[in-house]
Amino acid sequence: MSVSSKSSNKPPSVTVVAAGREDLEGIASCHEAAFPGEFLTLLGSGFLRAFYRFYIDNPDGICVMAIDGENKRIIGLVAGGKPGLRAAFTRRHILRFLGTSFCKFFIHRRVRRRLGEHFVGLLRKIGRKIHLIPPEKYPPAPEEPSGTWSNLLSVCTHPDYRGCGVGKMLMEAFRIESGRRGYSTMRLSVHNDNDAAIAMYKKSGWTPILTVPSGTYFKRSVGNEP
Ligand SMILES: CC(C)(COP(=O)(O)OP(=O)(O)OC[C@H]1O[C@@H](n2cnc3c(N)ncnc32)[C@H](O)[C@@H]1OP(=O)(O)O)[C@@H](O)C(=O)NCCC(=O)NCCS
């Protein structure tokens, strides 16, 4: 797959292509630059490489990257695919995840906060399941029929290349790849304070479907028209 942008203020030689194992180093450093201080970044570049390798190797995973053709630098990436892949990654790498998180837990406040959020999310899920929490209090995102939708997990542009249309190219690449795999809908969630990402999703034809304190869910049809 190869996507080229029509945006006029984009550096001329940027292309978006499927990522391979040989790109993992560049992918991890792009992620670190784009998400400084974020949970996965704090877990370290070894962990990041394992994370993206999982999406590259998994037939249900989507991992595409933007490359500046002039210096061959990886300047953006988008990852996702079949819903549940992130949970599958955590299960596969549970010992590494727990070990790394445990070490970083004592060093980074952000890691403590994120693990706390995961824990609270898990408690709410259990609470809803055993009818301890009314569903309207912390509503889950509306369900889609299984097998019909792809989940966009992460998208980023290196800070040196922002505002040039790279993000929109990546969103388009994800849409095309989702269509190629037979999905009819795409979903994602984003923190409510991430104004740049929210603006980009709206510009790329995505629609907010639910806002809860932990974030907003967006949806877009894979067809050309949102
Ligand atoms: C969100 C992000 C991917 C946007 O990448 P980008 O390459 O700069 O985006 P684009 O240049 O393609 O811009 C697309 C649209 O987004 C909007 N946008 C981008 N950055 C914005 C900003 N800082 N403030 C407001 N709107 C912004 C604009 O509407 C723009 O459309 P326009 O150029 O037609 O006006 C980038 O800011 C980023 O990597 N952020 C950190 C990672 C992140 O938060 N990812 C999302 C959560 S997983």
Side-chain angles (χ1 to χ4, degrees):
M1 180 196 41
S2 177
V3 176
S4 297
S5 170
K6 297 179 189 94
S7 170
S8 54
N9 59 348
K10 181 187 74 68
S13 59
V14 174
T15 51
V16 175
V17 293
R21 269 189 168 214
E22 64 283 6
D23 304 310
L24 283 167
E25 202 71 47
I27 285 175
S29 54
C30 180
H31 182 112
E32 284 167 334
F35 291 102
E38 178 256 1
F39 180 65
L40 282 183
T41 303
L42 294 175
L43 295 188
S45 63
F47 193 87
L48 273 176
R49 284 197 299 276
F51 180 76
Y52 284 106
R53 192 185 315 123
F54 183 80
Y55 280 83
I56 288 170
D57 288 351
N58 196 307
D60 292 322
I62 297 174
C63 186
V64 293
M65 58 187 183
I67 300 171
D68 180 342
E70 265 157 39
N71 53 23
K72 304 292 175 226
R73 185 179 179 194
I74 296 170
I75 58 169
L77 53 115
V78 60
K82 188 178 174 183
L85 279 184
R86 190 171 57 174
F89 168 80
T90 308
R91 278 196 302 274
R92 165 92 68 89
H93 293 271
I94 188 71
L95 290 179
R96 185 177 194 163
F97 178 74
L98 290 176
T100 315
S101 305
F102 181 76
C103 296
K104 308 285 177 177
F105 186 88
F106 298 100
I107 306 171
H108 299 293
R109 197 157 55 98
R110 180 87 183 90
V111 171
R112 288 196 288 279
R113 212 175 78 196
R114 185 59 188 265
L115 288 175
E117 282 167 11
H118 276 307
F119 186 62
V120 169
L122 188 68
L123 287 183
R124 280 183 190 146
K125 212 169 172 180
I126 294 170
R128 277 197 304 264
K129 255 204 175 118
I130 60 174
H131 307 292
L132 219 65
I133 298 177
E136 61 278 10
K137 190 146 190 218
Y138 298 107
E143 297 279 335
E144 305 286 337
S146 148
T148 64
W149 61 287
S150 62
N151 186 34
L152 193 157
L153 191 66
S154 169
V155 57
C156 66
T157 301
H158 191 284
D160 294 349
Y161 290 82
R162 292 201 180 144
C164 304
V166 174
K168 274 194 290 194
M169 286 176 74
L170 290 164
M171 296 302 288
E172 179 61 2
F174 189 83
R175 184 185 75 78
I176 291 171
E177 192 54 31
S178 294
R180 205 177 66 76
R181 289 161 187 247
Y183 296 115
S184 55
T185 311
M186 301 171 289
R187 288 267 296 265
L188 62 81
S189 63
V190 61
H191 284 126
N192 294 325
D193 60 358
N194 195 340
D195 296 336
I198 288 172
M200 180 181 73
Y201 299 147
K202 287 181 177 167
K203 271 275 163 86
S204 303
W206 291 64
T207 312
I209 50 170
L210 175 72
T211 297
V212 289
S214 59
T216 297
Y217 292 88
F218 278 76
K219 178 177 172 175
R220 192 209 195 278
S221 145
V222 165
N224 261 323
E225 294 309 315

